Amino acid sequence: MINKTLCSAMLVVGLLASCAKSPTGRNQILLYGDEQMAEMGLQSFSAIKQEEKISKDPKLNAYVSCVADQIIKVLPDEWKSDWEVVVFDSEQVNAFALPGRKIGVYTAILNVAENQDQLAAIMGHEVGHVIAHHGAERVSQNSLAQAALQIGQVATQGSEYQAATMAVMGLGAQYGVLLPYSRTHESEADVIGLKYLMEAGFKPEASMQLWRNMNKLGGDRPMEILSTHPAPETRIENLANHIEKYKQEGVKALYQRPNCSR
Protein backbone atom coordinates (compact mmCIF):
# COMPACT_ATOMS: atom_id res chain seq x y z
CA MET A 1 0.00 0.00 0.00
CA ILE A 2 2.78 2.41 0.95
CA ASN A 3 4.77 1.63 -2.18
CA LYS A 4 1.66 2.04 -4.34
CA THR A 5 0.89 5.40 -2.74
CA LEU A 6 4.45 6.62 -3.23
CA CYS A 7 4.69 5.40 -6.81
CA SER A 8 1.27 6.79 -7.74
CA ALA A 9 2.15 10.18 -6.30
CA MET A 10 5.50 10.24 -8.09
CA LEU A 11 3.74 9.28 -11.33
CA VAL A 12 1.12 12.02 -11.06
CA VAL A 13 3.70 14.74 -10.37
CA GLY A 14 6.09 13.25 -12.91
CA LEU A 15 3.53 13.76 -15.66
CA LEU A 16 4.02 17.49 -15.19
CA ALA A 17 7.75 17.24 -15.83
CA SER A 18 9.66 17.29 -19.09
CA CYS A 19 11.36 14.09 -20.19
CA ALA A 20 14.93 14.19 -21.41
CA LYS A 21 17.94 11.99 -22.00
CA SER A 22 21.40 12.34 -20.52
CA PRO A 23 24.54 12.20 -22.73
CA THR A 24 24.73 8.46 -22.02
CA GLY A 25 21.14 7.92 -23.17
CA ARG A 26 19.64 7.54 -19.68
CA ASN A 27 16.05 8.77 -19.27
CA GLN A 28 15.62 11.81 -17.05
CA ILE A 29 12.73 13.76 -15.55
CA LEU A 30 13.43 17.48 -15.31
CA LEU A 31 11.11 19.92 -13.57
CA TYR A 32 13.50 22.86 -13.90
CA GLY A 33 14.84 24.52 -17.04
CA ASP A 34 18.34 25.69 -17.88
CA GLU A 35 17.62 29.33 -17.02
CA GLN A 36 16.26 28.45 -13.59
CA MET A 37 19.22 26.20 -12.82
CA ALA A 38 21.73 28.76 -14.14
CA GLU A 39 20.25 31.38 -11.82
CA MET A 40 20.58 28.98 -8.87
CA GLY A 41 24.15 28.19 -9.87
CA LEU A 42 25.12 31.84 -10.20
CA GLN A 43 23.67 32.65 -6.78
CA SER A 44 25.48 29.72 -5.18
CA PHE A 45 28.79 30.59 -6.85
CA SER A 46 28.54 34.21 -5.78
CA ALA A 47 27.94 33.12 -2.19
CA ILE A 48 30.90 30.70 -2.27
CA LYS A 49 33.20 33.43 -3.59
CA GLN A 50 32.21 35.64 -0.69
CA GLU A 51 32.69 32.91 1.91
CA GLU A 52 35.87 31.23 0.63
CA LYS A 53 39.34 32.67 0.16
CA ILE A 54 40.22 32.97 -3.53
CA SER A 55 43.76 31.95 -4.43
CA LYS A 56 45.98 34.74 -5.77
CA ASP A 57 48.78 32.37 -6.81
CA PRO A 58 49.25 33.18 -10.53
CA LYS A 59 51.07 29.94 -11.34
CA LEU A 60 48.44 27.79 -9.65
CA ASN A 61 45.61 29.68 -11.33
CA ALA A 62 47.29 29.35 -14.71
CA TYR A 63 47.72 25.59 -14.21
CA VAL A 64 44.09 24.99 -13.25
CA SER A 65 42.83 27.23 -16.06
CA CYS A 66 45.06 25.45 -18.57
CA VAL A 67 43.55 22.06 -17.71
CA ALA A 68 40.01 23.50 -17.69
CA ASP A 69 40.54 25.11 -21.10
CA GLN A 70 41.63 21.80 -22.63
CA ILE A 71 38.48 20.09 -21.36
CA ILE A 72 36.18 22.94 -22.38
CA LYS A 73 37.39 23.01 -25.99
CA VAL A 74 36.22 19.41 -26.58
CA LEU A 75 32.75 19.93 -25.13
CA PRO A 76 29.69 19.98 -27.40
CA ASP A 77 29.56 23.25 -29.34
CA GLU A 78 26.81 24.79 -27.23
CA TRP A 79 28.96 24.32 -24.10
CA LYS A 80 32.28 25.73 -25.34
CA SER A 81 32.04 29.29 -24.03
CA ASP A 82 31.40 31.48 -20.99
CA TRP A 83 32.92 29.25 -18.31
CA GLU A 84 34.40 30.86 -15.19
CA VAL A 85 37.10 28.98 -13.26
CA VAL A 86 38.05 29.98 -9.71
CA VAL A 87 40.68 28.42 -7.44
CA PHE A 88 39.82 28.56 -3.74
CA ASP A 89 42.61 28.53 -1.16
CA SER A 90 41.17 25.87 1.11
CA GLU A 91 41.99 22.61 2.88
CA GLN A 92 38.85 21.02 1.46
CA VAL A 93 39.65 18.15 -0.88
CA ASN A 94 36.99 19.17 -3.34
CA ALA A 95 36.05 20.63 -6.70
CA PHE A 96 32.70 21.40 -8.29
CA ALA A 97 30.93 22.76 -11.34
CA LEU A 98 27.59 24.54 -11.20
CA PRO A 99 24.83 25.32 -13.68
CA GLY A 100 25.64 28.72 -15.11
CA ARG A 101 29.05 27.37 -16.19
CA LYS A 102 30.99 27.97 -13.00
CA ILE A 103 33.91 25.78 -11.89
CA GLY A 104 35.50 25.83 -8.45
CA VAL A 105 38.69 24.01 -7.49
CA TYR A 106 39.98 23.86 -3.92
CA THR A 107 43.76 23.93 -3.55
CA ALA A 108 43.84 20.85 -1.29
CA ILE A 109 42.59 18.62 -4.09
CA LEU A 110 45.71 19.50 -6.06
CA ASN A 111 47.67 17.47 -3.50
CA VAL A 112 45.60 14.42 -4.46
CA ALA A 113 45.53 15.03 -8.20
CA GLU A 114 49.24 14.57 -8.80
CA ASN A 115 49.41 15.79 -12.40
CA GLN A 116 47.49 17.41 -15.25
CA ASP A 117 45.89 14.12 -16.28
CA GLN A 118 44.40 13.46 -12.86
CA LEU A 119 43.21 17.05 -12.57
CA ALA A 120 41.60 16.65 -16.01
CA ALA A 121 39.70 13.64 -14.64
CA ILE A 122 38.32 15.86 -11.90
CA MET A 123 37.47 18.68 -14.31
CA GLY A 124 35.82 16.35 -16.80
CA HIS A 125 33.78 14.73 -14.06
CA GLU A 126 32.53 18.03 -12.63
CA VAL A 127 31.70 19.53 -16.03
CA GLY A 128 29.97 16.24 -16.88
CA HIS A 129 27.54 16.84 -14.02
CA VAL A 130 26.53 20.18 -15.54
CA ILE A 131 26.20 18.99 -19.13
CA ALA A 132 24.14 15.98 -18.00
CA HIS A 133 21.79 18.32 -16.09
CA HIS A 134 22.37 16.40 -12.87
CA GLY A 135 21.63 19.48 -10.79
CA ALA A 136 18.19 19.92 -12.37
CA GLU A 137 17.52 16.22 -12.08
CA ARG A 138 18.53 16.15 -8.42
CA VAL A 139 16.37 19.15 -7.52
CA SER A 140 13.51 17.59 -9.49
CA GLN A 141 13.87 14.30 -7.60
CA ASN A 142 13.72 16.13 -4.29
CA SER A 143 10.63 18.03 -5.41
CA LEU A 144 8.93 14.84 -6.55
CA ALA A 145 9.80 13.05 -3.32
CA GLN A 146 8.42 15.93 -1.25
CA ALA A 147 5.23 15.97 -3.31
CA ALA A 148 4.84 12.21 -2.86
CA LEU A 149 5.27 12.51 0.91
CA GLN A 150 2.69 15.28 1.07
CA ILE A 151 0.21 13.21 -0.92
CA GLY A 152 0.97 10.22 1.30
CA GLN A 153 0.31 12.33 4.37
CA VAL A 154 -3.10 13.28 3.03
CA ALA A 155 -3.83 9.64 2.13
CA THR A 156 -3.08 8.45 5.69
CA GLN A 157 -4.66 11.42 7.49
CA GLY A 158 -6.41 10.29 10.65
CA SER A 159 -4.93 6.80 10.54
CA GLU A 160 -3.31 5.45 13.71
CA TYR A 161 -0.45 4.31 11.46
CA GLN A 162 0.15 7.73 9.91
CA ALA A 163 3.44 8.44 11.70
CA ALA A 164 4.86 5.00 10.92
CA THR A 165 3.64 5.17 7.33
CA MET A 166 5.25 8.57 6.73
CA ALA A 167 8.51 7.40 8.30
CA VAL A 168 8.67 4.36 6.04
CA MET A 169 7.79 6.44 2.97
CA GLY A 170 10.55 8.88 3.87
CA LEU A 171 13.11 6.11 4.13
CA GLY A 172 11.83 4.61 0.90
CA ALA A 173 12.32 7.87 -0.94
CA GLN A 174 15.78 8.42 0.55
CA TYR A 175 17.28 4.97 0.02
CA GLY A 176 15.14 3.80 -2.87
CA VAL A 177 15.32 6.88 -5.09
CA LEU A 178 17.48 9.78 -3.96
CA LEU A 179 20.69 8.00 -2.93
CA PRO A 180 20.76 5.51 -5.82
CA TYR A 181 20.18 8.32 -8.29
CA SER A 182 23.05 10.25 -6.74
CA ARG A 183 25.32 7.23 -7.22
CA THR A 184 24.06 7.04 -10.80
CA HIS A 185 24.97 10.68 -11.32
CA GLU A 186 28.48 10.17 -9.98
CA SER A 187 29.12 7.11 -12.14
CA GLU A 188 27.67 8.84 -15.18
CA ALA A 189 29.78 11.96 -14.62
CA ASP A 190 32.85 9.71 -14.36
CA VAL A 191 32.33 8.20 -17.81
CA ILE A 192 31.23 11.47 -19.45
CA GLY A 193 34.32 13.19 -18.07
CA LEU A 194 36.50 10.26 -19.14
CA LYS A 195 35.46 10.76 -22.76
CA TYR A 196 36.24 14.48 -22.56
CA LEU A 197 39.69 13.95 -21.10
CA MET A 198 40.53 11.35 -23.74
CA GLU A 199 39.42 13.70 -26.52
CA ALA A 200 41.45 16.51 -24.92
CA GLY A 201 44.59 14.38 -25.08
CA PHE A 202 44.98 13.53 -21.40
CA LYS A 203 45.84 10.00 -20.23
CA PRO A 204 42.63 8.09 -19.39
CA GLU A 205 44.33 5.70 -16.96
CA ALA A 206 45.03 8.70 -14.74
CA SER A 207 41.34 8.73 -13.81
CA MET A 208 41.77 5.34 -12.10
CA GLN A 209 44.93 6.47 -10.29
CA LEU A 210 43.07 9.52 -9.05
CA TRP A 211 40.59 7.29 -7.26
CA ARG A 212 43.36 5.14 -5.86
CA ASN A 213 44.79 8.34 -4.42
CA MET A 214 41.38 9.32 -3.07
CA ASN A 215 41.02 5.89 -1.48
CA LYS A 216 44.34 6.34 0.34
CA LEU A 217 42.92 9.37 2.14
CA GLY A 218 40.93 6.94 4.27
CA GLY A 219 38.23 8.20 6.59
CA ASP A 220 34.96 6.58 7.53
CA ARG A 221 32.68 5.71 4.63
CA PRO A 222 29.17 4.25 4.90
CA MET A 223 28.19 1.10 3.05
CA GLU A 224 27.83 1.84 -0.65
CA ILE A 225 24.06 1.28 -0.56
CA LEU A 226 23.77 4.07 2.03
CA SER A 227 26.17 6.44 0.32
CA THR A 228 25.66 9.19 -2.23
CA HIS A 229 28.87 8.17 -4.00
CA PRO A 230 30.03 4.81 -5.37
CA ALA A 231 32.91 3.15 -3.55
CA PRO A 232 36.34 4.01 -5.04
CA GLU A 233 36.79 0.37 -6.09
CA THR A 234 33.49 0.50 -7.98
CA ARG A 235 34.50 3.71 -9.72
CA ILE A 236 37.90 2.34 -10.72
CA GLU A 237 36.33 -0.78 -12.22
CA ASN A 238 33.73 1.28 -14.08
CA LEU A 239 36.42 3.60 -15.47
CA ALA A 240 38.59 0.67 -16.56
CA ASN A 241 35.66 -0.86 -18.44
CA HIS A 242 34.86 2.42 -20.18
CA ILE A 243 38.47 3.13 -21.11
CA GLU A 244 38.50 -0.15 -23.01
CA LYS A 245 35.03 0.54 -24.45
CA TYR A 246 35.99 4.02 -25.66
CA LYS A 247 39.22 2.76 -27.20
CA GLN A 248 37.29 0.10 -29.10
CA GLU A 249 34.86 2.78 -30.28
CA GLY A 250 37.75 4.87 -31.57
CA VAL A 251 37.60 7.70 -29.05
CA LYS A 252 40.92 9.51 -29.33
CA ALA A 253 42.62 12.86 -28.82
CA LEU A 254 41.22 15.61 -31.02
CA TYR A 255 44.12 17.92 -30.24
CA GLN A 256 47.80 17.70 -29.39
CA ARG A 257 48.59 16.38 -25.92
CA PRO A 258 48.25 19.25 -23.40
CA ASN A 259 51.24 20.62 -21.54
CA CYS A 260 49.82 22.17 -18.37
CA SER A 261 52.43 22.46 -15.63
CA ARG A 262 52.28 23.73 -12.06
Side-chain angles (χ1 to χ4, degrees):
M1 175 64 183
I2 294 172
N3 285 338
K4 287 183 178 179
T5 302
L6 177 61
C7 292
S8 297
M10 295 283 279
L11 179 61
V12 170
V13 181
L15 292 175
L16 302 176
S18 66
C19 296
K21 284 189 180 293
S22 74
T24 65
R26 181 177 58 83
N27 290 326
Q28 298 175 294
I29 293 178
L30 304 178
L31 293 170
Y32 300 87
D34 289 344
E35 290 187 7
Q36 290 172 290
M37 293 307 301
E39 184 176 349
M40 292 181 198
L42 293 174
Q43 290 175 354
S44 296
F45 200 61
S46 178
I48 293 169
K49 286 197 292 186
Q50 291 179 9
E51 295 168 4
E52 298 285 350
K53 181 181 178 182
I54 296 176
S55 173
K56 302 298 183 182
D57 186 330
K59 190 172 182 181
L60 201 60
N61 277 275
Y63 170 59
V64 172
S65 294
C66 177
V67 174
D69 288 345
Q70 304 308 309
I71 293 294
I72 291 169
K73 72 181 183 181
V74 301
L75 299 181
D77 288 343
E78 65 271 25
W79 292 98
K80 287 183 177 178
S81 61
D82 302 324
W83 289 87
E84 180 183 1
V85 183
V86 176
V87 180
F88 296 101
D89 191 355
S90 171
E91 294 183 357
Q92 288 191 57
V93 181
N94 198 14
F96 63 87
L98 296 172
R101 309 189 187 202
K102 306 298 180 182
I103 297 173
V105 176
Y106 293 86
T107 51
I109 206 168
L110 300 177
N111 297 323
V112 182
E114 301 168 321
N115 51 49
Q116 64 169 2
D117 303 288
Q118 291 178 26
L119 181 56
I122 294 172
M123 291 282 194
H125 170 94
E126 299 302 339
V127 169
H129 276 308
V130 174
I131 291 179
H133 301 289
H134 288 164
E137 191 175 5
R138 189 76 169 142
V139 175
S140 299
Q141 288 158 6
N142 281 316
S143 296
L144 290 170
Q146 287 299 317
L149 291 177
Q150 290 172 6
I151 293 172
Q153 188 171 17
V154 172
T156 58
Q157 190 73 39
S159 168
E160 61 181 303
Y161 302 111
Q162 182 180 9
T165 299
M166 294 307 296
V168 172
M169 287 180 69
L171 286 173
Q174 179 73 359
Y175 295 114
V177 179
L178 300 183
L179 289 183
Y181 262 103
S182 183
R183 290 194 296 274
T184 297
H185 290 168
E186 290 300 315
S187 296
E188 188 170 55
D190 280 348
V191 300
I192 293 171
L194 176 66
K195 186 171 183 287
Y196 294 152
L197 78 88
M198 291 177 71
E199 290 178 337
F202 294 103
K203 295 178 180 178
E205 291 78 13
S207 62
M208 296 188 294
Q209 185 58 48
L210 171 69
W211 282 104
R212 294 188 189 101
N213 296 349
M214 289 286 195
N215 205 18
K216 290 177 184 176
L217 295 177
D220 295 330
R221 282 195 298 267
M223 291 186 299
E224 185 168 353
I225 193 172
L226 302 180
S227 175
T228 58
H229 288 58
E233 298 82 2
T234 301
R235 302 181 89 141
I236 291 168
E237 181 180 1
N238 186 40
L239 286 164
N241 291 336
H242 277 82
I243 288 172
E244 185 60 31
K245 176 177 179 288
Y246 286 152
K247 286 181 177 179
Q248 290 178 358
E249 292 176 353
V251 175
K252 59 184 179 181
L254 302 178
Y255 299 93
Q256 187 174 358
R257 175 165 168 74
N259 183 24
C260 303
S261 58
R262 297 182 63 167

